[in-house]
Amino acid sequence: MLTVLRDPRFRKLFTAQVVALIGTGLLTVALGLLAYEVAGGQAGAVLGTALAIKMVAYVAVAPVISALTLRLPRKLVLVSADAVRAGIALMLPFVTHTWQIYVLIALLQSASATFTPAFQSLIPSILVDEEDYTRGLSLSRLAYDMESLLSPVLAAALLTIISYHWLFVGTAAGFVASALLVVTTRLPRLAAPERSAPLLRRITEGARIMMNRPVLRGLLAMNMAVAAATALVIVNTVVYVRDQLGGSNTAVALALGCFGFGSMAVALSTPRLLARVPDRSFMMTGCVLLPLGLIAASLPTLLPRGAGALVLAVTWVLLGAGTSMINTPSARLLRAQSEPDTRTAVFTAQFSLSHACFLVTYPVAGKLGALAGLPTTAIVLAAVATLAATTAARAWPAHVPTGPEAVTAAAGR
C-alpha cells in the first residue's frame, strides 16, 4: 500500500491531508471545551447545533462554491480554503457568545466544504493507475480512522501542559502546514467547463450525472446505509456505554475504537480484495453487514452487562467494517463514472449528497433514542439500512459495467 507514497505529488498531498486531519481532531476537542465555557450546562445543545450547521454547509455550500470556483486553479482554491480555516481557528478562542461560535463554525465548515471535494477530485489525475488509486484511497481511509483514534489522545496529552485555548493554535498550524504542502506541489490541470453553462446548471451538474448513471444511483442509496450505521455509533455510543452498560469514559473511547478498528481492518485489506472481487460485490457485502450489525445493536441493553459489552464491541467492529467496505471504494466509482471535465462536479455531488443523509439519520438516532430507547432505534435504523441496500441493488444491477465503458454507453444513449 505504501508504494504510492513514492509519487512525490501524492506524498505531499497525503501529508497535507494528515496534518489537516490532526488539526481538525484538536478542534473537535477544543470546541467542546469552549462550548462548555461559554454555555455551561447547555454545551451539548451548542455542539448539536454546530454539528447541524456543519452538515448544512456540506450539503448546501459545497455545490455552490464548487460551481463558482470551477475555473480557478485548484492550488488557489485549496490554499485559500486552508487560509480561511486557519484564520477562523485562531479567532475561536476569543468568542464570548454562542452565536459567535455558530457564525465561525459556519464559515470554517464552508471552507472545508470547498477544500475536500476539490482535493479528492485531484487524486485520480495523480494516481492514474487503478491499483495505485485504490491503494491511495485505502491510505486516505486509514488516515481518517487513525485521526479519530489518535487525535483525542494527543489532545488529552497536550491538555496536561497547556490550556485548551492553545489547541486552536494547533488546529491553525495544521491548516497552515497543509497549505504550505499544497503550495509546493505541482498539481495537474483539470479540464475547465464551458463558460456558457448557467450557474444553476453548473451547481446541479454533479447531482444530475449521479442520478443518470445506474452505478452512481446505487452509490447514492449506499450512502444512506452508511449514514444509518454511523449515526447510531456517533450519537449513541456514550449512551450505550455510560447509561446502559455502566461503563466509564475510557470504555466509551474503547467502544469507538472498536468501530475504528473494523474500518481500518477493511481499509488495509481493500487493495488486495478489490484485485479479486468486483467493486459491486465488495460494496454490496458491506450493505448486507450494516443491517445485520444494526439488528445486533438492539441486543446489548437486553443482556447482562458483561455479555452486553462484548456484543457491543463485536457489533461496532462489524459496523466499522461495513461502512468502510462502502466508503473506501466509492471514489473508484466516481472516477470511473466521470470524465475529467465533470470530475470535480461529481466528487462534490457525492460529498454533498452523502452528508445530506446524516441530516436524516442523526435526528433519528438522537431523538428516537431518547424517546423510544436504543433497541427500537437500532431496529428502525436497520430498516433504513435494509431499504437503502435493496434500493442500491436495484439501482445498480449486477450486469451494469462499472468502468469507463459505462460512461461511454450512457453518453451514447
Side-chain angles (χ1 to χ4, degrees):
M1 187 186 298
L2 297 179
T3 56
V4 292
L5 295 177
R6 294 173 184 168
D7 186 309
R9 294 182 298 172
F10 178 75
R11 184 171 61 248
K12 285 186 176 182
L13 290 179
F14 178 71
T15 305
Q17 178 191 22
V18 170
V19 296
L21 283 174
I22 293 173
T24 302
L26 296 179
L27 175 67
T28 301
V29 176
L31 188 61
L33 296 172
L34 175 65
Y36 186 77
E37 182 177 288
V38 173
Q42 296 300 311
V46 172
L47 290 175
T49 302
L51 182 62
I53 290 171
K54 171 184 175 179
M55 290 303 162
V56 170
Y58 282 4
V59 173
V61 175
V64 177
I65 296 296
S66 175
L68 292 174
T69 62
L70 204 51
R71 298 190 66 85
L72 296 178
R74 296 296 89 185
K75 185 174 292 188
L76 176 62
V77 173
L78 295 174
V79 173
S80 298
D82 269 337
V84 170
R85 295 195 291 183
I88 292 172
L90 292 175
M91 295 171 64
L92 279 167
F94 301 100
V95 305
T96 55
H97 297 86
T98 55
W99 69 265
Q100 295 169 336
I101 294 177
Y102 298 151
V103 171
L104 292 177
I105 290 299
L107 293 174
L108 188 146
Q109 299 300 349
S110 294
S112 293
T114 301
F115 181 93
T116 304
F119 178 90
Q120 292 174 339
S121 64
L122 277 172
I123 305 304
S125 300
I126 294 173
L127 299 178
V128 179
D129 180 77
E130 185 75 10
E131 292 185 3
D132 284 343
Y133 185 51
T134 304
R135 296 186 186 102
L137 293 177
S138 296
L139 273 179
S140 180
R141 182 74 256 163
L142 192 62
Y144 278 104
D145 293 331
M146 290 298 291
E147 180 273 324
S148 66
L149 292 174
L150 298 182
S151 286
V153 176
L154 175 60
L158 290 174
L159 288 171
T160 62
I161 55 175
I162 61 175
S163 162
Y164 81 86
H165 294 91
W166 288 99
L167 295 182
F168 291 110
V169 177
T171 297
F175 293 140
V176 169
S178 171
L180 291 175
L181 286 163
V182 171
V183 165
T184 58
T185 304
R186 184 171 56 85
L187 301 180
R189 284 186 175 273
L190 300 183
E194 292 290 336
R195 285 186 182 273
S196 57
L199 177 61
L200 182 60
R201 183 175 179 82
R202 283 182 279 139
I203 290 173
T204 59
E205 180 181 27
R208 286 185 285 106
I209 291 172
M210 294 192 75
M211 291 301 297
N212 288 333
R213 294 180 180 169
V215 174
L216 298 185
R217 283 202 301 272
L219 177 59
L220 286 175
M222 292 180 187
N223 289 336
M224 182 58 79
V226 169
T230 305
L232 183 71
V233 173
I234 297 299
V235 174
N236 286 319
T237 294
V238 67
V239 183
Y240 272 103
V241 176
R242 293 300 307 272
D243 197 43
Q244 300 294 319
L245 299 175
S248 63
N249 288 336
T250 301
V252 173
L254 289 174
L256 291 171
C258 289
F259 181 77
F261 174 79
S263 180
M264 290 168 60
V266 169
L268 287 169
S269 59
T270 293
R272 183 173 65 256
L273 292 173
L274 286 181
R276 304 173 183 176
V277 179
D279 292 54
R280 184 184 184 278
S281 299
F282 187 77
M283 298 174 77
M284 286 305 303
T285 301
C287 285
V288 172
L289 288 179
L290 293 181
L292 294 176
L294 287 166
I295 291 172
S298 66
L299 301 177
T301 61
L302 306 177
L303 299 171
R305 286 186 172 181
L310 178 60
V311 170
L312 183 73
V314 174
T315 300
W316 263 217
V317 171
L318 182 68
L319 291 177
T323 56
S324 190
M325 292 181 79
I326 296 170
N327 284 333
T328 305
S330 61
R332 282 167 51 107
L333 304 185
L334 300 175
R335 179 173 84 157
Q337 294 284 307
S338 62
E339 300 83 5
D341 60 335
T342 62
R343 188 156 293 152
T344 299
V346 170
F347 272 82
T348 302
Q350 165 65 6
F351 179 83
S352 175
L353 296 174
S354 62
H355 283 92
C357 297
F358 288 100
L359 293 176
V360 176
T361 59
Y362 273 147
V364 170
K367 298 295 185 182
L368 191 61
L371 295 174
L374 295 177
T376 300
T377 303
I379 293 298
V380 170
L381 289 172
V384 172
T386 301
L387 179 61
T390 304
T391 303
R394 290 178 175 274
W396 179 8
H399 67 273
V400 174
T402 303
E405 67 273 14
V407 178
T408 303
R413 289 196 298 273

